[in-house]
Amino acid sequence: MGEAERGESAPRARISFWCSNGHETQPSFAHDAQVPDIWDCPRCGFPAGQDKDSPPDPPRTEPYKTHLAYVRERRSDEDGEAILAEALAKLRGEI
Ligand SMILES: [Zn+2]
């Protein structure tokens, strides 16, 4: 918690990333944070890079999936059923 409170003494830098659709996103990073080479474009989900003129290639085969969808896909069917059962229980107000 203390880290966040000291926001002013830990300046953040905005770094621009561009995806192949030309979307610019500017996440901010703490100065001592490691800036990733690739950032997911929040608008289309394509990978975005810091070089505006040569953004990373978009994923070719699969449409964009949310992280959650990706995680769900990797779960076993058994886990999937448990998640479904839990979701249904929530719908019924049992949880
Ligand atoms: Zn984009």
Side-chain angles (χ1 to χ4, degrees):
M1 210 52 188
E3 286 293 317
E5 315 260 289
R6 292 185 324 181
E8 284 183 31
S9 62
R12 298 172 74 82
R14 283 194 170 276
I15 308 288
S16 289
F17 290 85
W18 289 269
C19 75
S20 58
N21 282 330
H23 300 142
E24 180 181 6
T25 183
Q26 292 187 309
S28 63
F29 298 91
H31 273 289
D32 56 356
Q34 187 155 18
V35 177
D37 291 334
I38 301 292
W39 190 261
D40 283 342
C41 173
R43 291 172 66 183
C44 67
F46 282 10
Q50 292 180 54
D51 185 349
K52 186 178 187 178
D53 295 324
S54 58
D57 288 334
R60 287 163 208 279
T61 49
E62 297 192 274
Y64 174 58
K65 283 181 196 161
T66 62
H67 178 67
L68 188 59
Y70 192 66
V71 168
R72 278 185 178 149
E73 190 172 82
R74 291 194 302 179
R75 287 175 187 270
S76 68
D77 288 345
E78 226 169 292
D79 282 346
E81 280 176 23
I83 289 169
L84 184 62
E86 190 181 317
L88 287 174
K90 273 182 190 162
L91 279 178
R92 297 191 198 108
E94 290 172 10
I95 293 180

